[in-house]
Amino acid sequence: MGPEGIAYVTKPSPTPRERIVAGAADMISRRGLNATSIREMAKHARAPLGSTYHYFPEGKQQLATEAVRYTGAWTSRALRKELAAGPVAGLRAFLALWRKIVVDSDFRAGCPVLAVSIEEPPTEETPAALLAAADVFTEWETLLSTSLREHGAGPEQAEQLATLIVAAVEGTVAMCRAKRSTEPLDRTAEQLQALILATIEK
């Protein structure tokens, strides 16, 4: 897989910094955070280690944080675009996005946001990457809950269902990798769509 990662970069000519961040997101999605060094991230992005430290002087933690934010923004853009057609369309796009990643990587890649969330333990001073992951999950939930409310769901119900969607999709991506099958994602898609339709049709 190239330095752009799996579909993370859609611009024809990403900047060197964007290429490094996208490469870090891809590597974290495959190997996790703790098993990945900044040297390996730079190599994966085909970037000199010196330029990587130039862009990320604080090292691995800074690069991991940027990778999480980058993934969050990239996913949110796709989600926001599809949610214009309603929550079911948004759900399908969200699922299709992660389905493509696990399939295109031959089940080697998952979600770097989830990987960081699992591997970064909260401490007295919560790591920046973990804070960024929390922000990303919140943004995805907010986008979904806003769409659900706009289509007739009550505020509390919309928030609960949005959290369920994000949690289910993230967990299902991990299951797909373990089972080397998209069946968990396909099953989850059916149930989540049914829940959305039952919620907005009331």
Side-chain angles (χ1 to χ4, degrees):
M1 195 60 59
E4 294 83 7
I6 304 168
Y8 285 119
V9 173
T10 54
K11 296 196 322 187
S13 299
T15 66
R17 190 180 194 282
E18 287 173 332
R19 210 171 72 238
I20 293 168
V21 172
D26 183 40
M27 181 154 269
I28 292 169
S29 76
R30 293 164 182 270
R31 295 181 54 181
L33 180 62
N34 294 336
T36 306
S37 70
I38 193 166
R39 182 181 296 275
E40 290 169 317
M41 291 181 197
K43 184 178 178 182
H44 188 63
R46 297 178 191 163
L49 187 61
S51 65
T52 302
Y53 274 110
H54 169 73
Y55 290 116
F56 307 98
E58 296 171 31
K60 178 179 172 178
Q61 183 65 218
Q62 183 183 9
L63 181 51
T65 301
E66 288 296 316
V68 167
R69 289 176 180 155
Y70 188 89
T71 305
W74 169 76
T75 306
S76 293
R77 279 194 301 272
L79 189 54
R80 194 176 286 109
K81 179 181 176 183
E82 297 301 327
L83 282 170
V88 172
L91 170 70
R92 287 175 179 163
F94 195 48
L95 289 159
L97 182 153
W98 295 114
R99 191 180 200 280
K100 179 174 173 53
I101 285 175
V102 295
V103 170
D104 286 359
S105 68
D106 193 27
F107 301 94
R108 290 185 174 89
C111 176
V113 183
L114 179 64
V116 167
S117 302
I118 292 169
E119 294 186 53
E120 283 281 45
T123 59
E124 285 187 22
E125 187 176 345
T126 304
L130 188 57
L131 292 172
D135 289 342
V136 167
F137 287 140
T138 298
E139 182 177 15
W140 293 347
E141 289 173 279
T142 300
L143 287 170
L144 288 161
S145 65
T146 298
S147 180
L148 287 163
R149 285 198 311 273
E150 289 172 349
H151 288 79
E156 186 175 359
Q157 191 175 32
E159 288 181 4
Q160 291 174 353
L161 184 50
T163 298
L164 177 63
I165 291 169
V166 174
V169 173
E170 290 290 295
T172 302
V173 167
M175 289 177 67
C176 288
R177 291 185 71 194
K179 293 187 173 188
R180 296 188 58 78
S181 167
T182 60
E183 186 178 65
L185 201 55
D186 296 334
R187 287 177 173 174
T188 300
E190 291 293 323
Q191 289 302 309
L192 290 177
Q193 181 170 309
L195 280 172
I196 289 175
L197 291 172
T199 300
I200 64 178
E201 287 176 354
K202 286 183 180 178

